[in-house]
């Protein structure tokens, strides 16, 4: 009887593990709302080709031992915070331990350190990495101004442990806070969107993208996914889009395509932020 019970227990534990696993992998797909609805035109559902896989994780740094990719997300509850998620991957046959993540603060952005630690102390990464294993850690940064992108220099130090020896290694990196990383995907209804545009509080700017060779819904999905916008309304090859910064700035886009030319008319209550977000959107499509 006891062995039967044990098997049952093991099965249950396995199922729990699988559940957890599924939950854990969920973070690769965030931000993708807003791009997936089928567009209805004259009551017929348009056949649209499926979207290519997209990821917001960018390479932070790598060497022969370790690879780091990262994603930055704004904190809805706090207009002065962003969370940097870093996935650490052990690329070698040795054990990696005692990892410490450190960033040089700027006047504008600071790594949140535990109470009692000095301004130059690194943060202990809360796990070790056996060969071939990946794991994710999150680091909170406080930011003051969000209208300009910025880069912070940092270093990861760690110990490479073999059976007979251990060596101290380090990997330098640059953490790139884009203006997009301060935007949060926020739905907006068309009447609220129209009111914003009519209010006269927003300043305008525009950008043209040439040689964009992809279906319109792919284009919109990329802007939603990589730049945290939501689609307000779409009619044929014209769409209105909205996003909001962690400090409450409104960013409104009107996106139109004609052939392979995309024109984006944009409005925002912070012109510097808007100019940088448009540059970043341009950058995304120049890499396609």
């Amino acid at each position: 009887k006891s062995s039967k019970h044990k098997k049952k227990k093991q099965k249950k534990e396995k199922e729990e593990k699988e559940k957890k696993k599924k939950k854990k992998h969920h973070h690769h797909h965030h931000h993708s709302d807003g791009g997936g609805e089928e567009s209805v035109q004259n009551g017929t559902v348009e056949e649209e080709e499926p979207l290519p896989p997209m990821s917001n994780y960018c390479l932070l740094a790598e060497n022969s031992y370790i690879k780091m990719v990262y994603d930055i997300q704004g904190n809805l509850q706090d207009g002065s915070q962003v969370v940097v998620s870093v996935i650490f991957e052990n690329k070698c046959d040795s054990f990696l331990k005692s990892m410490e993540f450190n960033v040089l603060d700027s006047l504008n952005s600071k790594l949140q350190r535990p109470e009692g630690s000095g301004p130059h102390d690194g943060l202990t990464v809360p796990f070790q990495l056996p060969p071939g294993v990946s794991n994710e850690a999150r680091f909170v940064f406080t930011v003051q101004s969000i209208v300009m992108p910025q880069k912070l220099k940092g270093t990861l130090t760690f110990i490479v442990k073999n059976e007979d020896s251990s060596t101290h290694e380090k990997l330098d990196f640059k953490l790139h806070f884009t203006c997009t990383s301060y935007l949060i995907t926020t739905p907006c209804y068309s009447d609220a969107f129209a009111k914003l545009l009519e209010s006269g509080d927003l300043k305008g700017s525009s950008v043209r993208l040439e040689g964009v060779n992809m279906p319109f819904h792919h284009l919109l999905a990329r802007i939603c996914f990589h730049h945290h916008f939501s689609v307000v309304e779409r009619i044929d090859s014209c769409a209105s889009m909205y996003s909001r910064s962690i400090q409450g700035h409104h960013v409104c886009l009107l996106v139109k395509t004609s052939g392979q030319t995309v024109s984006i008319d944009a409005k925002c209550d912070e012109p510097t932020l808007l100019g940088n977000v448009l540059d970043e959107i341009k950058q995304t499509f120049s890499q396609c």
Side-chain angles (χ1 to χ4, degrees):
K1 188 191 169 190
S2 66
S3 71
K4 206 173 177 184
H5 180 71
K6 205 171 172 187
K7 268 195 179 140
K8 229 180 181 173
K9 195 176 170 205
Q10 280 174 340
K11 194 178 174 208
K12 201 172 175 196
E13 278 173 4
K14 200 177 170 194
E15 280 169 6
E16 288 291 308
K17 252 192 189 151
E18 287 297 314
K19 254 192 203 157
K20 268 193 184 144
K21 222 177 180 176
K22 274 190 182 142
K23 256 192 186 151
K24 208 169 172 185
H25 281 294
H26 182 67
H27 62 248
H28 286 287
H29 306 292
H30 48 213
H31 293 339
S32 58
D33 38 1
E37 310 98 60
E38 292 170 318
S39 72
V40 177
Q41 292 173 349
N42 306 332
T44 61
V45 175
E46 190 188 328
E47 282 293 315
E48 294 192 334
E49 51 188 278
L51 294 169
M54 294 186 279
S55 169
N56 268 331
Y57 281 83
C58 303
L59 180 66
L60 184 55
E62 69 178 317
N63 59 18
S64 55
Y65 300 110
I66 193 164
K67 178 181 179 180
M68 296 188 283
V69 294
Y70 74 109
D71 177 37
I72 303 178
Q73 293 200 43
N75 181 348
L76 260 176
Q77 277 69 50
D78 189 331
S80 64
Q81 272 189 6
V82 290
V83 178
V84 178
S85 305
V86 183
I87 298 173
F88 299 86
E89 180 193 342
N90 184 346
K91 291 169 59 181
C92 66
D93 301 330
S94 309
F95 216 93
L96 303 183
K97 50 181 274 190
S98 307
M99 291 189 282
E100 204 168 89
F101 182 89
N102 202 357
V103 170
L104 280 171
D105 291 343
S106 70
L107 285 170
N108 192 55
S109 305
K110 292 176 172 48
L111 173 61
Q112 256 193 17
R113 295 169 170 86
E115 247 176 75
S117 49
H120 307 299
D121 291 353
L123 290 187
T124 303
V125 178
F127 46 78
Q128 301 183 345
L129 287 179
V133 171
S134 296
N135 206 341
E136 179 170 25
R138 294 177 168 212
F139 304 96
V140 177
F141 285 78
T142 52
V143 288
Q144 288 173 5
S145 166
I146 60 166
V147 303
M148 300 281 284
Q150 59 167 346
K151 288 183 174 154
L152 296 186
K153 285 181 176 170
T155 305
L156 180 78
T157 53
F158 54 97
I159 291 174
V160 180
K161 188 155 176 43
N162 295 313
E163 276 173 31
D164 44 0
S165 68
S166 58
T167 56
H168 286 261
E169 297 290 340
K170 71 176 195 130
L171 178 58
D172 293 327
F173 57 83
K174 269 190 185 144
L175 204 50
H176 188 193
F177 291 87
T178 58
C179 284
T180 289
S181 58
Y182 306 128
L183 297 184
I184 289 181
T185 306
T186 313
C188 180
Y189 293 106
S190 47
D191 47 354
F193 188 83
K195 273 200 183 112
L196 268 176
L197 293 183
E198 288 160 14
S199 68
D201 301 334
L202 308 184
K203 296 161 190 68
S205 185
S206 60
V207 65
R208 278 167 81 90
L209 314 172
E210 301 290 348
V212 178
N213 189 13
M214 66 177 72
F216 191 54
H217 73 288
H218 283 204
L219 174 99
L220 298 183
R222 274 177 195 264
I223 297 175
C224 288
F225 187 79
H226 294 301
H227 298 281
H228 314 169
F229 278 82
S230 61
V231 175
V232 179
E233 205 171 3
R234 172 187 162 184
I235 299 160
D236 299 328
S237 56
C238 179
S240 46
M241 305 180 84
Y242 175 80
S243 186
R244 213 188 120 160
S245 81
I246 56 173
Q247 294 179 0
H249 304 106
H250 303 286
V251 190
C252 304
L253 307 180
L254 191 63
V255 183
K256 292 178 188 163
T257 59
S258 166
Q260 291 191 4
T261 303
V262 179
S263 63
I264 301 176
D265 288 315
K267 285 194 167 178
C268 176
D269 35 10
E270 175 37 80
T272 313
L273 175 69
L274 181 61
N276 285 313
V277 168
L278 290 179
D279 283 347
E280 288 163 17
I281 291 176
K282 214 171 175 173
Q283 186 68 28
T284 295
F285 288 99
S286 70
Q287 289 163 354
C288 295

